[in-house]
Amino acid sequence: MTRQKLILSIVQNDTVKEQARILLLSIATSSDEQRKIITAASYVVSKIASADFPEQWPTLLPSLLALVPQANDTQLHGVLVVLGDLVDEGFDEEQFSGSAVDLLKCVYDVATNGHKKLMTRSLAVSIFRSCLDTMEAVMATNPQAVQQFMQSASDIWVPFFVETLRAPLPSMPESSDLPASPGIGGWRGVIALKTQAVKALDKIHTTFPYILTARGMELFSAVWDALQAHLSPYHILYTGEEQKEGQLEDSDRLPYTLDLLVMEELDYTQTLLNTSTIKHEMDVQLASASEANGNSTPTASWLSQILALMVGYAYISAEDASMWEFDINTFLAEEATETAQYSARNACAGVVTKLCSFNWPVMESLLPFATTTFEDQASDPKAKEAILYVVKQAMEEIDSYDRTIAPELLNAYLGFARTAIADMENDMLRGRGYMTAGYLVTAPGKALAESMPDFARQAIQLIQSDEPEIVQVSASKALNQYLKDVPKPLAQDFQTQTVAAISAFLSSRDLEDFSDGEELLATLVELLRDAIMIDPSFSLDHPAIDVLFTLANYGAKSWHTTDIVNEAFESIVTTMSSKGPEAYAQLCKKVLPSLTGALDVGDMTQESSLSDMAVELMSILAHHGSEPLPQGFVATIVPKLYRLLFLDLEFNLHQSATVTLKHILAHDASQLFEWTDQETGKGGLEIILLVIDRLLGPSVQDSSAAEVGGLAMELVEKAGAERLGPYLMQLLQVVAIRLSTAERTDFIQNLVLVFARLALTNAKEVLDFLSQVQVPGQEGGTGLEVVMRKWLDNSINFSGYDAIRQNVMALTNIFKLHDERLANVQTRGDLLIDNTSRIKTRSQAKKQPDQYSVIPVPLKLAKVLVQELVTQPASAGLGIGLRKNSIAQTHGSDDDEWEDEPAILDLASQGTRNDLMGFMDGMNDWNLHQTDDDTQQYLVQFFNEVGNEQYFQELYQALTDAEKEKLQRMNDGRRQSVASG
């Protein structure tokens, strides 16, 4: 550790940095240092290289490549670690293009060298796979050269990968911890190398899908043979009573257990099924089997074999079985595919759903194997459970396409489910029987609909019985399915019985334990929601709302549970509100004491999540409120919200409380303005003004104040200038000042829309007011400068059809003023593009932030409005069906020509799951800006009106070629529409 600290201190001293590089590299590639020291040095070298390579350390890569041929095992490991980190940090295009051949040859020589340790060879293959990411980036600037290079590289690497896949496994070690064997071979090493080979092939197929088209059948055959060969050892290791620990990696993050290899093989099977070669061959096989049988039901086909193999890998692992018995939440998480622990079982589900997506006869092809298994008294219960699991996965996918299944098929599988339910010796098989029956009985076409009431009643009885918990929750999952198809004459009866069953289930347990049982809570809330939604108007006749609030109380910390509670509560509120003010008042009388009480409990226990949920439910209640609201509504809610908004709480609570006040203003401003708080002596108007002033203050974060603009807009519209008096100008001034420091796009939009709404009726007064406001701070200047800059810089990122429409109309009103004051305000223009083809590394990108031109506000106004314009090719017309088209374009026709498309997303794939986790990190940057037909038609009319004005013509000359072309396409589309009309 002392040596490592010394290394780090040297690196931080610029005067000895060159010597430090040489020293560190020699340590990292030494043959006589301890492994920990080499690892530490390699880590530091990679960090220095990420900043200094290649500009300040051009000799690094040649030095590493030169060391590989003569390095011993210890040295070679250090070299490969540094190489891997270097590749992961990313080359620029020039550096990578100049070294790619030597780099790939170097790692290929290591990967194929039978005299090297298998883990070292595996590390070399992982470096090759990392190179594919860099090549994918380079391909953006030079696709033809990269494609040619990758074709040559794959011709060299793929035969080695196929040979590796086909190599037999060594004998399994007897020790439970599966240690690595001495020497260059061993179980771990073979598994690791095979795993890296499959991962590399999958990466090639995903990144460069057409390169391996000719080898499709060869690769599929190799993976298929491997999966068949690995099934027996997989069962021995992971599904038997003496299960071994799985999903293990070494210090270099190289997987070395068989379960991880199997997962990669199953994921790669999905990738191969996407290719035209395999799909065509499968079609031929199915057609041949059908022709041989003289009917359309293949009984012995390639598809049948695949499904039988998927059943084999879908066995419950011994580890999962013990975990599910100990914690029912892990079982429910697995069923909802929300567990982070990806498994071979999950991968099998992905393959099955992929097969179903092609409309192949999956259910028909599985039937012979299922029949044989269930008729054999000696069959393993795990095999029967796996079959029903596969059937459930298939039914879910088939249901998503609204495809119907022959009644005789459904009846056959329902018979298997009944057999499973009757097996009193195996609780997991019984539970699976109930869940699969739920999908069969409610299948598209309703062929077995007559069986639904009996199955539903049986499930209700199980939920409130003393059966094992896994059977009870399985019955509740099945009941979820049944409640969606309850016949109307039985609706109220089933709702009452289901609520009673959930209540009985809760009363038999210690509810304090539920705080740790997120999945069980969510399952019960989902069931209660579905029961309520049979007919929400029944909910006041039995304790459905009380049970809902009980579950909400213990599930407040779970966002998933709160979402379901909100959905169930909203269905009740909207239904009662639609029945008129009396029904809504009756609902308020029932729920408000519980909601306000939750706020008090939340204060006493400092449990913000409970307060958060209560205020969110209040917001839903107020949003769908009657007009006017029931008497006493304001006096009951507003004091609580007022107090909460002045506390330092989570931003979600502040947002929900602000929105609730806005809804109260919208539905019954009179009751609010006439009310006086007995405790503080303040009137409703003063309280709202104090809340707005508080949220716009500098001490409140943007996230907490995100909804204050909407509240301010509602107050201005409902109170009017006469009631607000001098407070109106003060209010708008505070909004303008806070806008100068706002950073979050949603908060900026919320504040800007205050001025936008005013500009809809009197744009000139808005500009006059803003020109008189002085804004202190970094932005400086007048309110006109601050607001217009923030407005125009963020306008294109606004979201929501209504907000975008109001924003566009407000901007056009301001544009039409031709106000000379705007010409004197400079704002951010177009992005200045660096005319270089070189790809920036991450460190370079941080040092070189984007640069923009500076332009006057009138030109920026024109640019923003042009950018809002959505044009289509002239032959397609303009602005017709934009909302529909935005959805339709995301779905292809079933008749489309099949291609080896890399963009197909397999959610069951481990690689896809990893990519999505990284992708989700950027969710906050998503642009949800979508416009509608009315806004587009308004813009077309606007440009037609101003197009011939001298003022616009001068601005038009300063537009970019792309912006001019957009306006031209608009004109072409308009002319064709007129001509065709």
Side-chain angles (χ1 to χ4, degrees), residues 224-435:
W224 171 252
D225 291 343
L227 282 169
Q228 287 183 307
H230 297 163
L231 181 59
S232 179
Y234 176 83
H235 279 180
I236 294 171
L237 290 171
Y238 303 112
T239 68
E241 293 183 0
E242 298 182 4
Q243 78 273 14
K244 303 299 186 290
E245 188 176 4
Q247 304 204 17
L248 300 177
E249 297 178 342
D250 72 356
S251 58
D252 295 316
R253 303 192 68 180
L254 295 175
Y256 62 81
T257 51
L258 182 62
D259 57 334
L260 291 173
L261 170 58
V262 165
M263 281 185 258
E264 293 297 340
E265 290 169 341
L266 290 168
D267 287 345
Y268 189 41
T269 299
Q270 287 189 67
T271 300
L272 289 168
L273 286 170
N274 279 329
T275 63
S276 56
T277 303
I278 305 303
K279 181 180 181 296
H280 174 72
E281 182 62 28
M282 183 74 81
D283 288 336
V284 171
Q285 291 275 352
L286 291 172
S288 299
S290 298
E291 185 177 347
N293 293 325
N295 55 56
S296 59
T297 305
T299 56
S301 68
W302 192 7
L303 182 57
S304 300
Q305 297 173 43
I306 290 177
L307 290 167
L309 190 62
M310 291 307 102
V311 169
Y313 280 112
Y315 276 34
I316 299 174
S317 71
E319 181 182 4
D320 283 344
S322 60
M323 181 64 73
W324 295 349
E325 289 179 352
F326 173 74
D327 182 8
I328 196 64
N329 291 287
T330 58
F331 168 73
L332 291 169
E334 178 74 19
E335 287 303 307
T337 63
E338 292 173 355
T339 175
Q341 189 75 357
Y342 190 66
S343 66
R345 186 173 166 100
N346 301 131
C348 288
V351 174
V352 171
T353 55
K354 176 63 64 181
L355 296 171
C356 291
S357 70
F358 299 145
N359 202 17
W360 286 332
V362 170
M363 299 289 284
E364 295 88 341
S365 299
L366 179 61
L367 184 60
F369 178 75
T371 302
T372 301
T373 302
F374 272 89
E375 289 180 350
D376 184 357
Q377 297 296 322
S379 293
D380 188 343
K382 286 188 177 182
K384 297 176 182 178
E385 192 279 340
I387 288 172
L388 293 179
Y389 172 79
V390 167
V391 170
K392 180 227 175 189
Q393 301 300 322
M395 291 296 300
E396 282 186 306
E397 184 70 9
I398 292 169
D399 184 46
S400 69
Y401 290 97
D402 290 327
R403 296 172 185 158
T404 57
I405 301 174
E408 57 271 20
L409 264 177
L410 294 174
N411 266 311
Y413 284 111
L414 187 59
F416 303 149
R418 291 182 193 275
T419 300
I421 290 170
D423 190 339
M424 304 303 293
E425 300 298 322
N426 194 295
D427 294 334
M428 290 186 184
L429 179 57
R430 289 178 64 204
R432 179 61 56 198
Y434 282 111
M435 279 193 284

Side-chain angles (χ1 to χ4, degrees), residues 439-507:
Y439 283 91
L440 293 167
V441 170
T442 59
K446 314 305 179 197
L448 305 181
E450 70 281 354
S451 302
M452 192 281 294
D454 290 338
F455 271 99
R457 291 188 182 95
Q458 188 176 359
I460 289 172
Q461 291 173 3
L462 275 171
I463 293 170
Q464 49 195 333
S465 69
D466 59 354
E467 291 279 358
E469 200 167 43
I470 197 166
V471 178
Q472 287 182 298
V473 298
S474 297
S476 72
K477 298 293 284 186
L479 189 55
N480 272 122
Q481 294 295 117
Y482 302 137
L483 292 182
K484 297 171 185 176
D485 293 296
V486 170
K488 285 191 177 296
L490 302 175
Q492 187 169 8
D493 184 38
F494 270 109
Q495 186 184 72
T496 302
Q497 291 182 36
T498 302
V499 172
I502 297 172
S503 181
F505 184 90
L506 294 175
S507 65

Side-chain angles (χ1 to χ4, degrees), residues 624-834:
H624 300 284
S626 59
E627 295 186 11
L629 293 167
Q631 282 302 312
F633 191 95
V634 170
T636 302
I637 289 182
V638 173
K640 304 279 187 182
L641 301 179
Y642 174 65
R643 182 164 48 84
L644 288 173
L645 284 166
F646 278 82
L647 296 175
D648 187 16
L649 299 170
E650 291 290 332
F651 70 90
N652 286 332
L653 196 148
H654 280 165
Q655 289 184 13
S656 298
T658 307
V659 170
T660 304
L661 290 176
K662 184 183 75 171
H663 292 322
I664 291 173
L665 265 172
H667 288 298
D668 198 346
S670 297
Q671 184 179 161
L672 180 63
F673 294 148
E674 293 168 5
W675 165 77
T676 300
D677 183 17
Q678 297 301 317
E679 184 177 340
T680 63
K682 295 180 172 60
L685 175 60
E686 184 180 1
I687 280 181
I688 299 300
L689 287 170
L690 288 171
V691 166
I692 293 174
D693 184 66
R694 149 77 173 164
L695 294 175
L696 290 175
S699 63
V700 178
Q701 297 293 324
D702 284 8
S703 55
S704 291
E707 299 293 340
V708 69
L711 178 61
M713 280 189 292
E714 202 66 49
L715 179 63
V716 170
E717 291 186 358
K718 294 297 183 181
E722 184 176 348
R723 187 185 293 269
L724 286 172
Y727 293 118
L728 176 59
M729 293 300 105
Q730 294 177 27
L731 172 64
L732 296 178
Q733 182 174 1
V734 173
V735 173
I737 292 174
R738 183 55 194 269
L739 186 58
S740 68
T741 60
E743 296 180 355
R744 285 171 54 111
T745 300
D746 58 343
F747 185 37
I748 292 171
Q749 171 180 329
N750 207 258
L751 296 180
V752 162
L753 287 177
V754 175
F755 300 104
R757 289 273 282 271
L758 294 172
L760 292 177
T761 54
N762 201 324
K764 186 176 184 306
E765 283 190 5
V766 172
L767 298 189
D768 290 343
F769 164 74
L770 289 175
S771 65
Q772 299 171 20
V773 174
Q774 293 298 315
V775 178
Q778 294 181 352
E779 291 273 348
T782 66
L784 185 66
E785 295 172 300
V786 170
V787 171
M788 292 309 301
R789 285 173 185 150
K790 265 294 173 38
W791 190 343
L792 295 174
D793 286 347
N794 293 276
S795 177
I796 200 60
N797 295 319
F798 289 177
S799 61
Y801 290 120
D802 292 336
I804 293 171
R805 186 185 306 114
Q806 291 172 13
N807 181 56
V808 167
M809 295 174 69
L811 290 177
T812 57
N813 288 350
I814 292 174
F815 184 91
K816 291 176 183 177
L817 294 176
H818 301 174
D819 196 304
E820 294 182 359
R821 290 170 296 187
L822 297 178
N824 297 322
V825 179
Q826 301 295 310
T827 187
R828 189 175 70 187
D830 298 320
L831 176 66
L832 299 176
I833 305 298
D834 183 7

Side-chain angles (χ1 to χ4, degrees), residues 943-953:
F943 282 115
N944 287 336
E945 289 176 0
V946 304
N948 295 322
E949 295 178 359
Q950 181 65 28
Y951 181 78
F952 179 78
Q953 286 297 319

